[in-house]
């Protein structure tokens, strides 16, 4: 395939960026999207030009770092996948592909397609953990009875990889699906109930402090989420937050 790529280029956080056009040729439909980007960068390097900076790590849909906004969609036109799992067979010969970084006030651009998502880390640090007695008469986790429903729901919430597609897809740049998933994975289990009140209050407060918007109720986050995190997690977080404030 021969393609035209319109890519956002920005030298640094404080520099003004712009879209730059590139041509790539002989792209196999079996390539992943990141492999296509590798071909472009090899081409740019051979021409003595600066390659396009983009995040990637596992290239297996696990780490969530390879976040790109492709043709107006987080992670591109496919569903249930991350950018690294997107294959070029989703495009046609002669296509023009627009590639941008995830856009959000809380995700400032570092360079080109790389954004700073440390705001997610700070939300996690605010309450995304449990305190466990690791000495003395510690109870075996396997001895704690948990219903099949709760276990399945908690596992589904825990599949969130923190890629930020929910934020990039939301017109309010809301992180409520991410925070809802992190709150839910603990709220559904007995080990997480001990600190449930402080957890939801602290994580929501940090989310607001980072500058994320409120939920739009349009459901774009769930549709674009590569792990299919359900909107039910936002509802659960809202219930937890309301309950925590009443108890307080």
């Amino acid at each position: 395939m021969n393609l035209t790529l319109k890519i956002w280029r920005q030298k640094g956080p404080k520099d003004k960026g712009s879209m730059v056009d590139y041509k790539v040729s002989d792209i196999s439909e079996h390539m992943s999207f990141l492999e296509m980007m590798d071909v472009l960068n090899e081409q740019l390097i051979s021409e003595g030009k600066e390659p396009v900076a983009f995040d990637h790590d596992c290239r297996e849909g696990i780490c969530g770092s390879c976040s790109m906004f492709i043709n107006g969609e987080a992670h591109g036109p496919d569903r249930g996948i991350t950018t690294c799992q997107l294959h070029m067979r989703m495009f046609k010969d002669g296509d023009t592909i627009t590639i941008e970084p995830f856009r959000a006030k809380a995700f400032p651009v570092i360079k080109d397609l790389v954004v700073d998502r440390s705001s997610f880390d700070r939300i996690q640090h605010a309450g995304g953990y449990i305190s466990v007695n690791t000495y003395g008469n510690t109870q075996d986790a396997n001895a704690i009875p948990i219903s099949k429903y709760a276990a399945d729901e908690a596992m589904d919430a825990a599949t969130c990889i923190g890629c930020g597609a929910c934020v990039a897809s939301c017109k309010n740049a809301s992180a409520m699906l991410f925070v809802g998933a992190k709150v839910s994975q603990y709220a559904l289990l007995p080990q997480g109930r001990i600190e449930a009140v402080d957890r939801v209050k602290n994580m929501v407060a940090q989310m607001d402090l980072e500058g994320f918007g409120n939920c739009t109720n349009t459901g774009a986050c769930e549709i674009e989420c590569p792990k299919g995190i359900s909107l039910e997690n936002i509802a659960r977080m809202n219930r937890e937050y309301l309950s925590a404030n009443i108890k307080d």
Side-chain angles (χ1 to χ4, degrees):
M1 288 188 292
N2 298 323
L3 303 166
T4 299
L5 307 177
K6 292 181 175 293
I7 301 178
W8 181 261
R9 301 302 307 265
Q10 184 173 336
K11 290 185 177 180
K14 296 182 179 180
D15 294 305
K16 185 177 180 180
S18 63
M19 302 298 292
V20 179
D21 291 0
Y22 298 100
K23 301 283 187 180
V24 288
S25 56
D26 299 325
I27 299 297
S28 169
E29 65 176 7
H30 303 297
M31 284 183 179
S32 72
F33 198 85
L34 294 192
E35 287 173 333
M36 182 275 295
M37 293 295 294
D38 291 337
V39 170
L40 170 64
N41 278 343
E42 289 176 2
Q43 176 181 309
L44 292 175
I45 291 170
S46 67
E47 295 171 355
K49 299 176 182 177
E50 188 171 1
V52 178
F54 62 92
D55 254 338
H56 63 94
D57 190 2
C58 73
R59 298 200 177 203
E60 295 179 346
I62 299 171
C63 69
S65 63
C66 61
S67 302
M68 298 182 191
F69 210 65
I70 303 165
N71 284 350
E73 296 182 83
H75 296 303
D78 209 348
R79 289 291 175 267
I81 54 97
T82 54
T83 299
C84 64
Q85 296 173 303
L86 177 66
H87 282 81
M88 297 312 296
R89 54 180 168 266
M90 296 298 296
F91 304 94
K92 297 177 181 178
D93 183 40
D95 275 358
T96 296
I97 305 174
T98 302
I99 310 168
E100 301 173 82
F102 280 3
R103 303 286 190 183
K105 177 183 177 182
F107 288 169
V109 174
I110 296 174
K111 183 177 181 180
D112 295 339
L113 304 175
V114 181
V115 298
D116 181 0
R117 284 171 292 178
S118 59
S119 52
F120 271 10
D121 296 331
R122 290 187 289 273
I123 292 172
Q124 283 277 69
H125 296 164
Y129 55 86
I130 60 171
S131 299
V132 180
N133 178 11
T134 57
Y135 63 91
N137 188 22
T138 305
Q139 186 176 7
D140 189 338
N142 292 327
I144 303 173
I146 300 172
S147 70
K148 178 70 164 57
Y149 169 80
D152 287 347
E153 289 289 298
M155 182 60 72
D156 287 346
T159 59
C160 170
I161 57 176
C163 67
C166 51
V167 175
S169 303
C170 179
K171 57 189 175 184
N172 280 357
S174 173
M176 290 187 74
L177 191 67
F178 167 77
V179 180
K182 299 307 177 184
V183 167
S184 290
Q185 74 181 72
Y186 297 111
L188 287 158
L189 302 176
Q191 296 94 329
R193 294 311 308 169
I194 300 170
E195 298 160 305
V197 170
D198 288 338
R199 176 181 301 111
V200 68
K201 290 174 67 176
N202 291 341
M203 292 184 78
V204 169
Q206 188 64 41
M207 174 182 69
D208 291 341
L209 186 63
E210 296 294 342
F212 291 105
N214 202 1
C215 179
T216 64
N217 296 310
T218 58
C221 54
E222 180 179 357
I223 293 171
E224 299 291 354
C225 176
K227 300 303 177 182
I229 302 297
S230 173
L231 288 174
E232 291 178 5
N233 291 292
I234 296 179
R236 184 177 294 109
M237 179 185 69
N238 287 336
R239 292 194 298 270
E240 288 286 321
Y241 186 73
L242 178 61
S243 176
N245 280 281
I246 290 174
K247 290 177 181 178
D248 195 33

